Amino acid sequence: MSLLIVGTVAFDAVETPHGKVDRMLGGAATYAAVAASYFTPVRIVSVVGEDFSPREHAIFRGRPIDTSGIERAAGRSFFWSGRYAENMNDRTTLETQLNVLAGFDPKLPDHFRDSRFIFLANIHPALQHKVLHQLKTKPRLVALDTMNYWIEGFLDELRAVLRRVQVLLINDSEARQLSGHHNLIEAARRIQKLGPKAVVIKRGEHGATLVSGRDVFAVPAMPIRLVRDPTGAGDSFAGGFMGSLSAAGSLDQGSLRRAMIYGSVMGSFTVEHFGLARLRRLTRKQIQSRAKQFRRLTHFEL
Amino acid sequence: MSLLIVGTVAFDAVETPHGKVDRMLGGAATYAAVAASYFTPVRIVSVVGEDFSPREHAIFRGRPIDTSGIERAAGRSFFWSGRYAENMNDRTTLETQLNVLAGFDPKLPDHFRDSRFIFLANIHPALQHKVLHQLKTKPRLVALDTMNYWIEGFLDELRAVLRRVQVLLINDSEARQLSGHHNLIEAARRIQKLGPKAVVIKRGEHGATLVSGRDVFAVPAMPIRLVRDPTGAGDSFAGGFMGSLSAAGSLDQGSLRRAMIYGSVMGSFTVEHFGLARLRRLTRKQIQSRAKQFRRLTHFEL
């Protein structure tokens, strides 16, 4: 089943202990769409500037990604620049240029309005909400990502859209911030009361936890010996997670747990190289092989 | 098979966001011995002061724990006092009184010298080494725990004993410190070159990772909704881990993975209450039931 993804397509500059890239394609929707496209057809809604050339657009070509929802606006694309500390967890934002994102007003092409699986990547919660208003049919699954900036300054808007969301994908510090609870299980339970039945807590190098109804599932991160660039890992996770669920067309616990694994798989590939370099060159066989590695990593018998 | 445990028996004062206890029984060997005793007979070697009364000794009674290696010395028992931050991970040591520990020179009773499974809890590495010299027979498995203090000040002594150790149990920051590598898999590989074939990295609320030969196994922590006191969790993990292995009498990958689960089980119980309050009142049935919860927590099908 097609997956609708709404979010940023951007340029990033990234510096990590393993290298430096001055300008590379990035953006939450880009990572999520490419990751999801290995599982299911994707429809992407975003905005780019005049600097987004055919060279960048090539990332979507040859994949089941419908880009007719990518609007081209006057000016430059959203730009983010950051530096990762030696531990690869702490990062400093050096620069954010909103550019065309400042005027972004997501409009769904008519043939996107029947989407049943939807991922609202991290943008203004009011915009996320507007996407839902444009749907013609009741979606089966809406998942949403957000960040500290929206939790701090736009909590009412965020709460409003959360009431219409089934899955919140969020990192650990954001879960704590949104819920006011340090304990992550307690935090997830509070968040469930805001709307989402399922809360996926992304924990970076510590893996991810799913709290779905009363069920709790935890998956460790795949130990990667050389993490070159963590940028986009969480968005790749979201893409793999939602791609897997959309392909399954099911929301039972087995499908949710499997989606957590495929999310972890896609995130684990992304960190191996800068930007989309690794994610864009995967095969289904490599993905399946890494999913099996997750089983080897976690399997035990009592 | 009997498990020999050498380490501290102590009094602790602990303050956490959920309460405060001015004086309670603690010490790495105490936690490890009680945890292991649910799996296998235990022999404990330690030192206590004159303040260690029959009331404290009761913790070992009614369990398969041979306490004839607990020496009673003039003076007071080792005392540690600390405070946990709201996040339950960061802790501040308020006071350390070595007391009788300052003169500790572990002596194995003659009937302990045939021990085949040995856990050297966190004490001076030279003392850990002296224990091994007292063995009459070649041990099957020696596991060792240590801490930043010994890594910083007594690295030669630590390296010497590590050459005779098969399993190092260590927390993540200590693994990074000992190896000089931030990446934990890289860190474990370096540590393997120092002697231990298997490295168990205890990661607190993030679970634990086993690097054994080329095999990697990761187990998340059981999400505990109310963590009252993390003191002793790592030592309880070590006790469950070594108890399970000693009972199995085997060191194959399946046994090692199972030991990781039972270690995690025992640690997860300990944090539920202050000190040994939870750990001392367990049944095999509760332990088995929580091990199954770990399976539910981590199980998925592709």
Side-chain angles (χ1 to χ4, degrees):
Chain A
M1 213 170 279
S2 281
L3 169 65
L4 172 66
I5 296 177
V6 183
T8 57
V9 172
F11 287 101
D12 293 337
V14 171
E15 194 179 339
T16 85
H18 301 289
K20 189 169 183 298
V21 176
D22 285 335
R23 186 178 174 82
M24 63 186 190
L25 186 60
T30 317
Y31 283 102
V34 173
S37 72
Y38 289 101
F39 300 89
T40 200
V42 173
R43 301 159 166 182
I44 184 168
V45 171
S46 191
V47 63
V48 295
E50 291 153 329
D51 51 358
F52 190 83
S53 72
R55 193 183 143 214
E56 278 82 34
H57 199 271
I59 189 88
F60 301 121
R61 272 202 301 273
R63 303 178 194 277
I65 301 181
D66 184 334
T67 59
S68 53
I70 300 186
E71 177 194 346
R72 182 179 290 268
R76 297 172 65 79
S77 300
F78 176 49
F79 175 79
W80 175 84
S81 144
R83 185 190 294 134
Y84 289 84
E86 185 63 39
N87 68 19
M88 285 289 188
N89 279 326
D90 304 324
R91 78 177 185 190
T92 312
T93 290
L94 300 176
E95 200 181 348
T96 305
Q97 300 173 8
L98 282 183
N99 299 333
V100 298
L101 193 64
F104 183 40
D105 185 16
K107 278 180 272 312
L108 269 53
D110 208 52
H111 65 289
F112 281 14
R113 292 178 200 248
D114 64 352
S115 300
R116 308 293 301 275
F117 286 80
I118 295 153
F119 175 51
L120 304 170
N122 171 32
I123 51 173
H124 193 304
L127 296 183
Q128 292 175 317
H129 211 151
K130 279 178 94 167
V131 170
L132 299 183
H133 289 309
Q134 296 174 53
L135 296 171
K136 278 192 314 206
T137 49
K138 190 176 151 61
R140 284 210 50 198
L141 174 65
V142 181
L144 178 146
D145 193 358
T146 192
M147 71 187 290
N148 53 353
Y149 181 75
W150 312 119
I151 298 171
E152 283 155 25
F154 301 85
L155 192 56
D156 288 346
E157 290 90 334
L158 180 58
R159 280 172 172 264
V161 67
L162 278 179
R163 281 193 282 274
R164 299 190 53 188
V165 158
Q166 286 78 49
V167 178
L168 177 65
L169 291 135
I170 195 167
N171 75 29
D172 40 10
S173 65
E174 292 156 358
R176 287 170 172 143
Q177 189 181 17
L178 179 59
S179 66
H181 266 267
H182 183 81
N183 182 292
L184 287 178
I185 298 304
E186 197 63 44
R189 300 269 182 245
R190 300 282 171 133
I191 291 169
Q192 286 178 317
K193 288 181 184 153
L194 303 177
K197 284 192 202 75
V199 180
V200 176
I201 301 176
K202 299 176 289 180
R203 309 167 79 184
E205 63 164 329
H206 302 303
T209 301
L210 165 72
V211 179
S212 167
R214 308 304 295 172
D215 192 50
V216 181
F217 174 65
V219 56
M222 178 59 58
I224 300 288
R225 218 164 155 176
L226 179 55
V227 173
R228 285 198 182 82
D229 173 19
T231 309
D235 304 315
S236 305
F237 180 101
F241 178 87
M242 287 300 290
S244 167
L245 276 181
S246 310
S250 159
L251 305 176
D252 58 44
Q253 294 297 349
S255 303
L256 283 168
R257 286 177 173 229
R258 205 173 303 121
M260 291 287 289
I261 298 302
Y262 285 112
S264 304
V265 163
M266 302 315 276
S268 78
F269 279 121
T270 289
V271 303
E272 290 182 350
H273 286 284
F274 278 80
L276 289 136
R278 184 76 186 96
L279 190 65
R280 70 188 302 171
R281 298 200 199 290
L282 290 173
T283 63
R284 274 297 304 182
K285 202 175 155 190
Q286 289 171 321
I287 292 169
Q288 208 49 28
S289 159
R290 182 148 303 177
K292 284 182 189 152
Q293 268 181 272
F294 269 93
R295 189 153 54 188
R296 278 197 295 282
L297 177 68
T298 58
H299 182 77
F300 62 90
E301 275 168 35
L302 292 178
Chain B
M1 214 172 279
S2 281
L3 169 65
L4 172 67
I5 296 177
V6 183
T8 56
V9 171
F11 287 102
D12 292 337
V14 171
E15 194 177 339
T16 84
H18 301 291
K20 189 170 183 294
V21 175
D22 286 335
R23 185 179 174 82
M24 63 188 190
L25 186 61
T30 317
Y31 284 101
V34 173
S37 72
Y38 289 101
F39 300 88
T40 201
V42 174
R43 300 159 167 182
I44 185 169
V45 171
S46 191
V47 62
V48 296
E50 292 153 330
D51 51 357
F52 190 82
S53 71
R55 193 182 143 212
E56 279 81 35
H57 199 272
I59 190 85
F60 301 119
R61 270 202 302 273
R63 303 178 195 278
I65 301 182
D66 184 334
T67 58
S68 52
I70 300 186
E71 177 194 347
R72 180 177 291 268
R76 298 172 64 80
S77 300
F78 176 48
F79 174 79
W80 175 84
S81 141
R83 184 190 295 134
Y84 288 84
E86 185 62 38
N87 68 18
M88 285 289 187
N89 279 324
D90 304 323
R91 77 177 187 192
T92 312
T93 291
L94 300 176
E95 200 181 348
T96 304
Q97 300 173 8
L98 283 182
N99 299 334
V100 296
L101 193 64
F104 183 40
D105 186 14
K107 278 180 272 313
L108 270 53
D110 207 52
H111 65 288
F112 281 15
R113 292 178 199 248
D114 63 352
S115 300
R116 308 293 301 276
F117 286 80
I118 296 153
F119 175 50
L120 303 171
N122 170 32
I123 51 174
H124 194 304
L127 295 184
Q128 293 176 317
H129 212 150
K130 280 179 93 168
V131 170
L132 298 183
H133 289 309
Q134 296 174 53
L135 296 171
K136 278 191 313 203
T137 49
K138 190 174 149 61
R140 284 209 53 196
L141 175 65
V142 180
L144 178 147
D145 193 358
T146 190
M147 72 186 290
N148 53 353
Y149 182 75
W150 312 118
I151 298 170
E152 283 155 25
F154 300 85
L155 191 57
D156 288 346
E157 290 91 332
L158 180 58
R159 279 171 172 266
V161 66
L162 278 179
R163 282 194 282 274
R164 300 190 54 188
V165 158
Q166 286 79 48
V167 178
L168 177 65
L169 291 135
I170 195 167
N171 75 29
D172 40 9
S173 66
E174 292 155 358
R176 287 171 171 141
Q177 189 181 17
L178 178 59
S179 66
H181 266 268
H182 182 82
N183 181 292
L184 287 178
I185 298 303
E186 197 63 44
R189 300 269 183 246
R190 300 283 170 134
I191 292 169
Q192 285 178 317
K193 288 179 184 152
L194 302 178
K197 286 192 202 78
V199 180
V200 175
I201 300 176
K202 299 177 288 180
R203 310 167 77 185
E205 63 164 331
H206 302 302
T209 301
L210 165 73
V211 179
S212 167
R214 308 304 296 172
D215 192 50
V216 181
F217 174 65
V219 55
M222 178 59 59
I224 300 288
R225 219 164 155 174
L226 179 55
V227 173
R228 285 200 182 82
D229 173 20
T231 309
D235 304 315
S236 306
F237 180 102
F241 178 88
M242 287 300 291
S244 168
L245 276 180
S246 310
S250 159
L251 305 176
D252 58 44
Q253 294 296 349
S255 303
L256 283 168
R257 287 177 174 228
R258 204 173 305 121
M260 290 287 287
I261 298 302
Y262 285 112
S264 304
V265 163
M266 303 315 276
S268 77
F269 279 122
T270 289
V271 302
E272 290 183 349
H273 286 284
F274 278 80
L276 289 138
R278 185 77 186 96
L279 191 65
R280 70 188 303 172
R281 298 199 199 291
L282 290 172
T283 63
R284 274 297 306 182
K285 201 174 156 192
Q286 289 170 322
I287 292 169
Q288 207 50 27
S289 157
R290 183 148 302 177
K292 285 182 189 151
Q293 268 181 274
F294 269 92
R295 187 152 57 189
R296 278 196 295 279
L297 177 69
T298 58
H299 181 77
F300 62 89
E301 273 168 37
L302 292 177

